[in-house]
Amino acid sequence: MDDGRAELLSCPFCSFSDSDAYFLTQHVELCHPENGHSPFIAEQQEGSSEAVEGEEGAREYIDCPRGCGEIVLGADLPSHLNLHAAEDIAFEDEEAEVKQFEEMPAEYEDDFDRAPGHSDEEDSLRLHKGLSKVRHRQGGNGKHGFHESTSLSTVQGGKAKRLGRAELGPHAHEKQMPSWLRKMLENGASVIRTNRINRNGLLERHETVENETAGVVPVLIQLCQQDKSVQRAFFCSEKVRHVFKMRMEGGFCGYRNIQMLISHVQDAKKPGHEHFPGKLPTILRLQDLIEQAWDMGFNSSGRVETGGIRGTRKYIGTPEVNNPNNSQFVDLLSDIMQAQALFQSLGIRCEANGFHETKQLRAYDAVLMNVAEYFRQGISLEGSDKVLRTDLPPIYLQHPGHSLTIIGFEVREDGSANLLVFDPMFRTSPAIEKLIGTTVRPSTNPARLMRAYRRGTSYLRKFKAFEMLKLSPMDEPANK
């Protein structure tokens, strides 16, 4: 008889038991690790660069209390929890969700709104002046238009040192990921098969992958059109899928962003799509492709800096922010550099740029200006005067500790601006899923539904360095 109590799960190695499967998994990895080393315990190695302690544990890694399996920096926990709330939005409990946002404790307030003590007028004026310069530039091509933008190129050889937890995450010294995780990644996300009636009234078989959502961009276009706070918006090609993490997979954001760029290459039949037949390549396959790129001489120092990534949970890397003016900023290992190496090794044209803070311009202002110029040079498709659709590829954006895929840009009525993004850390919200393939009702609250897809200055201003990777919008392949 079911008495309402959860079944206790037993550790296969000792007498420990718990009803929470995830907590039991953590116990096994901590107390009975494979190869005698627990990935939850950091071991400093000679010559490695470790995270710097500071500001009340801001650089400490913390398990997400929502149980999503993500390990985040303490400083990023409020943003992380807030986005969990945003991704849970659904129509049937709208009033309850709004109340939840209104009653959220101060430490979890919307991290994307203006920060207390920060001047709205100052940000708006600075950005407005910057965007005006972009608007009136003559002959700009969006590649090297800003002095704070550094063109990054894949390096071959050179001086390289072993990186540590600061760059590679909490599993920086792990030799192999746990067998349960490897099996999960090998199997991939579940494929859901349903029957749908098409426009001709015929029944057709439809397949969706559990952690991929197509058709989100058209929904966001409609929401921006209805949002009265938006003055102007630009969107990339609709042919891109929101790819997000599977539960408990950990810090694979970089690979999920690569998958989003590949989804555009596949769906838009861009040069190089023949390298990706069928489903998106798995994380394990992407690791193989990056190591293959190293073998070919593309950013070959990456192997030295990481100690190899095949079969591990190491982050591909994050930008250096302690001294962004240091020349090492250009050469430092990062997700972007490894993604660039992967695409270049397959003959897919792309360009990487780094942005750091200067006396004249903050790093996030430079990013906003560069993204604005990128979308303005795209070929205009159907769209209104307010919302412009283009056929441009999405952009891979890296900042310290996390990476996103930029799918649009908007200027608000108050002169501020937002990046519109797909965040691989969070699933597509149920409310957005319900709107895919439909016409959005005017009564819908667009600002609320767009919450999880906007990143404004209050989010971006926390970082002093960024890197971006842009696939070429041209159709000709690169010369190998």
Side-chain angles (χ1 to χ4, degrees), residues 4 61 99 126 165 183 326 409 420:
Y61 287 100
K99 185 177 181 181
R126 184 190 303 110
R165 294 182 80 230
K183 184 176 181 180
N326 190 301
F409 176 84
L420 301 174

Side-chain angles (χ1 to χ4, degrees), residues 297-309:
F298 294 93
N299 193 25
S300 54
S301 62
R303 181 174 283 116
V304 176
E305 292 166 314
T306 63
I309 60 173

Side-chain angles (χ1 to χ4, degrees), residues 30-331:
L30 181 63
C31 301
H32 313 286
E34 294 184 1
N35 304 319
H37 171 68
S38 171
F40 288 102
I41 301 177
E43 296 180 1
Q44 184 167 353
Q45 296 184 357
E46 184 178 353
S48 68
S49 172
E50 294 300 316
V52 179
E53 300 290 338
E55 299 192 2
E56 301 179 356
R59 296 297 299 169
E60 288 293 324
Y61 287 100
I62 301 172
D63 288 325
C64 170
R66 283 285 300 267
C68 72
E70 184 68 23
I71 303 175
V72 299
L73 289 172
D76 298 332
L77 185 59
S79 296
H80 182 84
L81 293 176
N82 189 277
L83 276 167
H84 269 308
E87 73 172 339
D88 287 340
I89 292 175
F91 288 127
E92 52 266 28
D93 55 356
E94 181 169 349
E95 291 183 2
E97 290 290 350
V98 171
K99 185 177 181 181
Q100 177 185 352
F101 282 125
E102 291 174 349
E103 296 179 354
M104 190 173 292
E107 62 267 32
Y108 300 143
E109 284 179 358
D110 189 357
D111 196 39
F112 315 131
D113 291 338
R114 300 293 183 200
H118 185 65
S119 169
D120 291 341
E121 292 77 13
E122 178 187 351
D123 260 346
S124 296
L125 181 60
R126 184 190 303 110
L127 184 59
H128 179 72
K129 289 180 178 178
L131 294 177
S132 296
K133 291 179 182 178
V134 173
R135 194 175 295 117
H136 293 98
R137 282 187 58 206
Q138 299 295 322
N141 59 10
K143 292 185 177 181
H144 306 287
F146 305 99
H147 67 276
E148 65 289 328
S149 168
T150 306
S151 180
L152 304 179
S153 59
T154 47
V155 295
Q156 301 185 24
K159 295 181 180 179
K161 66 175 181 177
R162 182 72 160 82
L163 301 178
R165 294 182 80 230
E167 300 85 11
L168 304 177
H171 308 295
H173 308 302
E174 180 180 69
K175 294 183 178 179
Q176 287 293 317
M177 68 179 69
S179 56
W180 66 265
L181 177 58
R182 183 179 182 89
K183 184 176 181 180
M184 184 179 80
L185 295 179
E186 285 175 345
N187 293 336
S190 301
V191 177
I192 303 168
R193 296 177 176 86
T194 57
N195 293 323
R196 292 184 179 180
I197 299 177
N198 62 25
R199 293 180 179 179
N200 298 323
L202 301 176
L203 194 66
E204 62 180 10
R205 192 77 165 169
H206 186 74
E207 290 188 357
T208 57
V209 181
E210 189 177 22
N211 71 328
E212 299 176 21
T213 312
V216 176
V217 171
V219 174
L220 300 184
I221 287 174
Q222 294 183 70
L223 292 173
C224 273
Q225 182 67 45
Q226 294 182 18
D227 191 342
K228 295 180 180 179
S229 70
V230 176
Q231 180 187 94
R232 194 88 165 95
F234 303 82
F235 280 89
C236 73
S237 168
E238 297 179 1
K239 296 179 179 179
V240 56
R241 283 165 262 167
H242 180 199
V243 183
F244 45 94
K245 295 181 178 184
M246 296 186 289
R247 181 176 170 81
M248 293 176 59
E249 77 171 42
F252 291 123
C253 286
Y255 297 102
R256 296 305 185 190
N257 284 295
I258 292 175
Q259 287 178 323
M260 283 192 256
L261 295 192
I262 292 174
S263 78
H264 171 73
V265 173
Q266 285 182 324
D267 297 350
K269 296 293 188 292
K270 292 292 183 179
H273 68 87
E274 64 276 3
H275 294 294
F276 309 110
K279 296 180 182 178
L280 289 173
T282 65
I283 287 173
L284 298 175
R285 175 57 180 156
L286 292 178
Q287 290 181 335
D288 288 340
L289 289 174
I290 291 173
E291 295 243 6
Q292 177 181 298
W294 291 343
D295 292 338
M296 298 169 64
F298 294 93
N299 193 25
S300 54
S301 62
R303 181 174 283 116
V304 176
E305 292 166 314
T306 63
I309 60 173
R310 185 178 279 118
T312 75
R313 288 181 288 182
K314 300 170 187 175
Y315 297 168
I316 313 175
T318 57
E320 173 63 57
V321 295
N322 293 330
N323 185 11
N325 293 315
N326 190 301
S327 61
Q328 291 182 351
F329 171 76
V330 177
D331 295 330

